[in-house]
Amino acid sequence: MAAYTVFATATMGLESVVAKEIKALGFENIEVENGRVRFQADEFGIARANLWLRTAARVKILVGEFDAFTFDELFENTKALPWGDWLPKDAAFPVLGRSVKSKLFSISDCQAIVKKAVVEKMKQQYPVSWFEETGAEYRLEIALHKDHAEITLDTSGEALHKRGYRTMQNIAPLKETLAAAMLSLANWKPDMPLHDPFCGSGTIPIEAAMIAQNIAPGVNRSFAFEGWEWFTNQAHKQALVEAEDLADYDAAFDITASDIDHKMVELTRHNAMEAGFPDQIYIKQMHALDFSSSSPRGVLIGNPPYGERMNEKEEVEELYRSLGEKMKHYPHWSTYILTSHEKFELLYGKSATKRRKLYNGNMKTQFYQFWGERMPRQNG
């Protein structure tokens, strides 16, 4: 199989987390860049990356790259690429675009020129004057950065956070990719109890359960490459067989979730059922401060209310204070909280062991990490 230069795109701040995943999958020549990770993969590797990457946004193939200071250069260099190798006669090929610090700053013009150049090249390959675009979608993107152009082909289709299990959600759900990244940054292992006291639509506990049973996050969804004429169906089938062989559906875990809102509890139960965990995740309606555990160690992780609205601010700040007091009774538990509140540590009553800037949608947040105390060694 041919090898391709591939980009796994990432939300700002998660590039190293995505790179860690890519390395664990066995890929080589990995380069971490702003907003993405570059690596080499054949068709089987592209299928595996789409199936297994928990924290990446999309997987794209680099079709071509070149410098472009003028629209003529953009047109001619795009036209020079072997589009007949990538696109069949009936391909639907929308062109997205972005431009940063480049002379060609009009995104709509860049999109139109790339589209025209591809059409002109395809006319040389196929004896037609008009392309109906009634076939499978091959979504292209022209990205310009400091006058350097890259044209990529999106292999994923829908963004990778859409696993297929969250058929119902709350107003501002945590993306599955961000939830998986939080679990990775928390270094949570399936042999440790985990509790989410602000479960919302259940994203964190469901992602944790999938990790615990080594279930590929993309196993129950489709990808754009499945409809492509040149992409070998056997590569995807082989990747699916591998994913099924590696899953451990009998692996036990101690994952619990709760929310004060009974509607959120029902959402979590529904989505857990859709994800294949009808009764393995213990879900309960209760206040976060009613949390209790007989386990001497574990992980409490959550995405609580941020107090963005004025009428909620005092209530949320009191919640943060009380949570800090509560976790003093669990010194060997580690606590991980995602919030945009700038005074969280002061309210919680403790400085974080580590904190990391992450983006929850367009909102800048901090992921506060409070590591639990080491358990005393057993004599003998």
Side-chain angles (χ1 to χ4, degrees):
M1 288 187 186
Y4 304 94
T5 296
V6 179
F7 297 128
T9 62
T11 302
M12 191 184 302
L14 294 184
E15 295 92 343
S16 63
V17 180
V18 173
K20 181 181 176 183
E21 280 196 275
I22 293 170
K23 185 176 181 180
L25 285 172
F27 293 107
E28 298 177 347
N29 301 321
I30 300 167
E31 297 177 35
V32 180
E33 303 173 4
N34 286 334
R36 66 190 190 185
V37 180
R38 182 192 294 244
F39 60 104
Q40 301 292 311
D42 58 14
E43 290 172 33
F44 176 55
I46 289 168
R48 289 182 72 236
N50 275 287
L51 277 173
W52 282 101
L53 290 179
R54 301 182 191 277
T55 60
R58 294 180 182 278
V59 177
K60 301 178 180 181
I61 297 172
L62 179 65
V63 176
E65 60 181 328
F66 46 83
D67 291 334
F69 300 94
T70 67
F71 287 129
D72 283 343
E73 288 179 328
L74 178 61
F75 179 86
E76 294 299 336
N77 283 307
T78 299
K79 186 181 176 183
L81 295 172
W83 290 109
D85 295 344
W86 297 100
L87 307 178
K89 185 169 64 174
D90 65 347
F93 54 103
V95 179
L96 305 182
R98 54 191 173 92
S99 178
V100 179
K101 298 178 180 178
S102 296
K103 292 180 177 64
L104 304 181
F105 57 83
S106 172
I107 295 172
S108 59
D109 285 339
C110 292
Q111 290 171 274
I113 286 167
V114 167
K115 182 82 174 185
K116 183 179 179 182
V118 174
V119 169
E120 289 303 311
K121 183 58 175 274
M122 288 178 68
K123 283 180 180 178
Q124 297 175 0
Q125 178 92 11
Y126 306 109
V128 296
S129 58
W130 181 261
F131 294 93
E132 297 290 343
E133 299 194 40
T134 55
E137 184 174 86
Y138 296 72
R139 188 166 71 170
L140 305 176
E141 181 180 60
I142 171 63
L144 288 142
H145 182 249
K146 295 181 179 179
D147 303 312
H148 186 73
E150 293 179 344
I151 300 179
T152 54
L153 177 60
D154 181 4
T155 72
S156 301
E158 285 196 307
L160 294 181
H161 76 270
K162 296 187 177 181
R163 319 284 206 218
Y165 65 75
R166 198 165 66 182
T167 57
M168 297 174 64
Q169 61 189 37
N170 53 345
I171 295 172
L174 188 71
K175 277 188 178 179
E176 293 86 338
T177 44
L178 180 54
M182 290 167 63
L183 290 161
S184 177
L185 291 168
N187 202 31
W188 174 74
K189 298 292 186 281
D191 62 348
M192 294 185 69
L194 180 136
H195 179 67
D196 179 359
F198 313 99
C199 64
S201 54
T203 312
I204 293 174
I206 292 171
E207 288 295 314
M210 293 178 75
I211 291 169
Q213 294 192 344
N214 201 35
I215 297 171
V219 75
N220 290 317
R221 55 158 287 172
S222 60
F223 303 100
F225 67 76
E226 292 178 55
W228 296 353
E229 285 190 6
W230 59 266
F231 199 99
T232 310
N233 287 335
Q234 187 60 33
H236 187 219
K237 290 178 182 177
Q238 185 181 351
L240 285 170
V241 168
E242 178 194 54
E244 185 65 24
D245 289 343
L246 292 173
D248 184 0
Y249 298 111
D250 296 323
F253 51 78
D254 182 1
I255 298 172
T256 59
S258 64
D259 202 289
I260 195 171
D261 187 340
H262 72 91
K263 292 180 181 178
M264 297 299 102
V265 170
E266 290 307 311
L267 266 180
T268 297
R269 286 184 177 139
H270 173 86
N271 291 335
M273 176 81 73
E274 290 290 322
F277 305 106
D279 50 22
Q280 294 98 319
I281 302 171
Y282 180 72
I283 306 161
K284 181 180 180 180
Q285 181 188 358
M286 69 176 190
H287 196 286
L289 302 179
D290 291 332
F291 162 74
S292 65
S293 176
S294 58
S295 176
R297 60 192 288 268
V299 167
L300 184 139
I301 186 168
N303 177 41
Y306 297 170
E308 294 292 320
R309 300 191 183 107
M310 288 302 294
N311 61 339
E312 296 177 348
K313 190 172 182 180
E314 288 186 11
E315 184 178 349
V316 165
E317 290 182 348
E318 182 55 37
L319 170 64
Y320 293 168
R321 289 189 193 96
S322 300
L323 184 63
E325 290 297 319
K326 178 77 174 183
M327 295 313 294
K328 287 180 181 178
H329 299 290
Y330 296 89
H332 304 296
W333 276 64
S334 295
T335 302
Y336 300 88
I337 298 293
L338 184 74
T339 178
S340 65
H341 200 301
E342 295 180 354
K343 296 183 178 179
F344 178 77
E345 287 170 297
L346 182 63
L347 295 164
Y348 190 79
K350 187 178 181 181
S351 294
T353 312
K354 291 180 71 174
R355 63 178 184 172
R356 188 181 185 119
K357 183 169 71 175
L358 298 176
Y359 283 85
N360 186 0
N362 293 323
M363 183 175 291
K364 184 172 72 174
T365 64
Q366 293 284 347
F367 187 48
Y368 294 95
Q369 306 170 49
F370 302 90
W371 297 352
E373 298 174 11
R374 289 181 179 274
M375 293 287 292
R377 289 187 177 182
Q378 299 293 326
N379 293 328

